[in-house]
Amino acid sequence: MPAPTAHPPMSERRFAGVTSLEEAHGPTRTIMMVTTAILTAVIFAFDVFSPLGIAVAALYIVVLLMSLRFSNLKGIVLIAIGCVILTIAGYLIGHAHDTEEGPLLRCVVSVLAIAIAALLCVQIRMADAKLRRSEERYRNIFQSTSVAVWEQDYTPAAEICAPILAQGLPQLREHLTRNEDFLKRCLLSLRTIDANDAARFLIGDLSEAHAPASWEAARVPESQVAFREILLAYLDGQTSYTMESALRATDGSRRDIIITATFPSDRTRSVLISALDVTAQITAEQALQQSAAELTRVSRIATLGALTASIGHEVNQPLAAVVTNGEAALRWLGRDEPDLDEVRTCIEETVHEGRRAAEIIQRLRSLSVKGEFTRSPVDLNDIVSQVHAMARRDLADQEIAVTLDLAPGLPDISGDGVQLQQVTMNLVNNAMHAMTGSASRQLRIQTAFEAQGGIRVSVSDSGAGISDDNMQRLFAPFFTTKSEGMGIGLSISRSIIETHRGRIWAERRPEGGTSFHFMIPTTDETGSVAVA
């Protein structure tokens, strides 16, 4: 089993991919502040002395966006107030005695644009604060779990094995089996990115200087075989590998473990490894139950980490739309006769995208927070429309044609809208993944009322379909056909639908592809129809 090497203290490490808006510090922070101040002065001077009939002061929006890199919530508000004051001062200095209404109108539009941008920046800063708190919570979960978990970079070992791997995987297996020194060289080349205290307690001193000694102390024949098999599975392109193994713990006792390695689809990224100590279990059945419970928890931690890391990517889309609409507004204002209707439209789109960014943060956060099941009237047509709106960009990027067939006049069902939205989004994401590489990419989302069952939601794709063996295991925990999947999405979806007293199933389409359906009854616990 691989031994982790040196890594920073837990308090200083963060999950990979999560970046705060306040990361700029030290010299970079000072440079950003000076650059922002210079830009502010240039905008003010240009606004006062420029003969061009455009709303130059609207460029203060750029100042506000730059302030996100170094300023807190209070600072953003003060900077926004300062930009408004400079805008008004620029008008009074440059145009106070003008009889035309144009300069005054441009001043008003600029102040309004600055106010809207400030509101969006405040929302982004508040969302960033929530993200930091969530990240800290996930770190505490990762640290407190009794499973030894660590993250390692396997690329150095892959580079060492590359010349022999070129001859074929069987030749590499034979070489690793016969040459213990070569296998040990591969093991010690690994770089540990992150690890919890359980890993340190199980393996020993994790510092770079003591890593070889820790490995020699912990190594037994089973652990050496485990590392060899994990390395071969990694080089073979597998998605994960699990086996029973053993090692000698820091107290000298032999520990039986179940070790699991999860490999990313991108082999340049790190490998997540977990080792569960099952020595203390009395029977094989108890060991299996404990393993499933602990590994489920680890998988959820990894899923939450991936979810948090994706927030930055998701929020980038509405932020890009904010910048695009802002640039469009500036162009409309820059005309000889500014088109205020178009400017108003751009500003309205900017506000909409800003709210969407806040909703994305809240939605992703709500999916990762354990809460009670809440019932309220839910329109499944609205749920489908919301999911379609959220996935529209990804669907367009993958050139997937979408057909919405929503039955009119559906009654509301009683349930949790956020959870049902999570199920629908998971089915849509699975459909997009299933059509990767397909010549025909057709996605159909349908709702229908069935008197004997309730309201049915169907998501159909035109992908390659699912084999008979896989069809039987689709909703089993940890089963996945995705190289980067954790195998818990459909299992969680089934739990959510069953909580709503419904059912979920899948079937192959005669024309090719797969259809996923879930049905929610329209009657409440008393038997009456739940209508809005």
Side-chain angles (χ1 to χ4, degrees):
M1 183 187 63
T5 53
H7 55 274
M10 284 289 172
S11 60
E12 297 179 7
R13 284 182 273 121
R14 302 162 61 98
F15 281 128
V18 180
T19 305
S20 170
L21 292 172
E22 296 187 52
E23 287 299 324
H25 59 279
T28 303
R29 180 188 180 95
T30 302
I31 293 174
M32 287 292 297
M33 293 176 66
V34 172
T35 303
T36 303
I38 294 174
L39 178 61
T40 303
V42 171
I43 294 174
F44 178 74
F46 194 65
D47 186 30
V48 172
F49 300 108
S50 175
L52 300 178
I54 59 175
V56 177
L59 293 174
Y60 285 123
I61 294 176
V62 179
V63 173
L64 286 172
L65 294 176
M66 293 178 64
S67 69
L68 284 172
R69 300 297 300 173
F70 60 82
S71 183
N72 56 21
L73 186 63
K74 181 178 179 181
I76 291 173
V77 174
L78 292 177
I79 290 173
I81 294 173
C83 290
V84 171
I85 293 174
L86 290 176
T87 300
I88 297 174
Y91 166 74
L92 294 176
I93 295 174
H95 305 284
H97 301 292
D98 290 355
T99 58
E100 298 179 357
E101 295 182 356
L104 177 59
L105 182 59
R106 290 194 294 271
C107 177
V108 171
V109 171
S110 297
V111 170
L112 180 60
I114 292 171
I116 293 174
L119 177 61
L120 296 178
C121 289
V122 168
Q123 290 179 340
I124 292 172
R125 173 59 68 228
M126 294 175 66
D128 183 60
K130 292 180 181 179
L131 176 61
R132 280 179 171 271
R133 290 193 295 270
S134 296
E135 179 191 347
E136 182 178 358
R137 181 164 59 254
Y138 302 148
R139 166 53 63 186
N140 291 336
I141 295 173
F142 172 78
Q143 179 59 25
S144 62
T145 181
S146 59
V147 178
V149 183
W150 64 94
E151 198 175 1
Q152 285 186 305
D153 180 8
Y154 265 56
T155 53
E159 292 174 356
I160 294 174
C161 295
I164 304 175
L165 181 61
Q167 304 173 21
L169 195 65
Q171 286 74 14
L172 177 60
R173 174 183 292 277
E174 181 179 359
H175 190 77
L176 289 172
T177 303
R178 293 184 175 182
N179 295 274
E180 181 177 336
D181 291 340
F182 183 79
L183 179 64
K184 181 178 178 181
R185 176 188 170 198
C186 293
L187 186 152
L188 297 180
S189 71
L190 304 183
R191 182 177 63 90
T192 296
I193 299 171
D194 204 354
N196 62 2
D197 284 343
R200 182 184 295 107
F201 176 79
L202 189 65
I203 298 169
D205 193 341
L206 305 179
S207 65
E208 185 174 0
H210 296 87
S214 296
W215 165 244
E216 288 296 337
R219 186 160 59 104
V220 295
E222 292 91 335
S223 59
Q224 188 161 308
V225 171
F227 170 68
R228 183 190 68 206
E229 295 304 318
I230 289 174
L231 178 59
L232 289 170
Y234 172 82
L235 296 174
D236 192 33
Q238 299 183 29
T239 58
S240 63
Y241 188 85
T242 300
M243 69 177 296
E244 296 182 8
S245 184
L247 55 76
R248 186 173 293 102
T250 53
D251 60 1
S253 62
R254 177 189 170 89
R255 301 291 179 89
D256 294 319
I257 61 172
I258 296 178
I259 185 168
T260 299
T262 303
F263 309 120
S265 58
D266 181 2
R267 285 307 196 250
T268 63
R269 296 169 55 194
S270 56
V271 174
L272 184 67
I273 300 177
S274 61
L276 176 63
D277 185 357
V278 295
T279 308
Q281 303 303 320
I282 299 176
T283 65
E285 181 179 0
Q286 290 175 326
L288 181 60
Q289 292 175 350
Q290 180 67 17
S291 171
E294 293 290 346
L295 291 179
T296 297
R297 187 179 181 188
V298 172
S299 297
R300 288 173 179 170
I301 293 171
T303 301
L304 291 176
L307 180 64
T308 305
S310 69
I311 290 179
H313 169 71
E314 294 292 338
V315 173
N316 275 340
Q317 295 180 356
L319 287 183
V322 167
V323 174
T324 300
N325 286 313
E327 292 174 346
L330 289 176
R331 288 196 296 271
W332 287 111
L333 287 172
R335 293 192 169 191
D336 294 337
E337 293 183 9
D339 191 334
L340 297 184
D341 289 337
E342 293 290 346
V343 172
R344 185 179 296 105
T345 300
C346 291
I347 292 177
E348 289 173 351
E349 286 294 326
T350 299
V351 174
H352 170 74
E353 294 295 338
R355 289 174 177 169
R356 189 162 77 90
E359 290 172 359
I360 288 173
I361 295 293
Q362 184 60 32
R363 185 178 299 109
L364 292 176
R365 182 174 179 269
S366 68
L367 296 182
S368 63
V369 175
K370 181 180 179 181
E372 297 181 356
F373 177 78
T374 59
R375 289 189 179 273
S376 61
V378 176
D379 186 338
L380 286 177
N381 279 345
D382 286 345
I383 294 294
V384 171
S385 298
Q386 292 168 10
V387 170
H388 176 244
M390 287 187 290
R392 183 180 290 112
R393 291 181 182 272
D394 289 337
L395 291 167
D397 290 342
Q398 298 185 34
E399 299 180 350
I400 296 175
V402 182
T403 301
L404 292 184
D405 185 6
L406 307 182
L410 291 179
D412 289 352
I413 60 99
S414 177
D416 189 313
V418 172
Q419 290 188 358
L420 293 174
Q421 188 181 77
Q422 178 185 2
V423 172
T424 308
M425 178 60 80
N426 185 42
L427 296 183
V428 171
N429 285 335
N430 285 347
M432 288 192 288
H433 181 272
M435 290 184 285
T436 300
S438 298
S440 175
R441 301 184 183 183
Q442 304 288 331
L443 175 66
R444 181 185 180 88
I445 310 177
Q446 182 183 25
T447 60
F449 178 78
E450 298 183 6
Q452 301 301 321
I455 299 178
R456 173 174 53 83
V457 177
S458 302
V459 179
S460 305
D461 64 70
S462 59
I466 301 174
S467 66
D468 289 337
D469 292 341
N470 290 341
M471 186 69 74
Q472 302 299 322
R473 299 183 292 162
L474 274 179
F475 299 95
F478 305 112
F479 174 75
T480 179
T481 59
K482 302 178 183 179
S483 59
E484 72 280 11
M486 296 297 297
I488 63 175
L490 287 177
S491 177
I492 292 175
S493 297
R494 182 180 63 178
S495 298
I496 292 174
I497 296 302
E498 290 177 350
T499 302
H500 286 76
R501 297 175 291 111
R503 65 189 184 97
I504 184 171
W505 71 99
E507 57 187 13
R508 284 188 296 275
R509 302 174 66 199
E511 63 270 33
T514 308
S515 292
F516 281 85
H517 314 272
F518 68 85
M519 184 175 292
I520 307 293
T522 56
T523 55
D524 58 23
E525 295 178 356
T526 65
S528 60
V529 177
V531 296

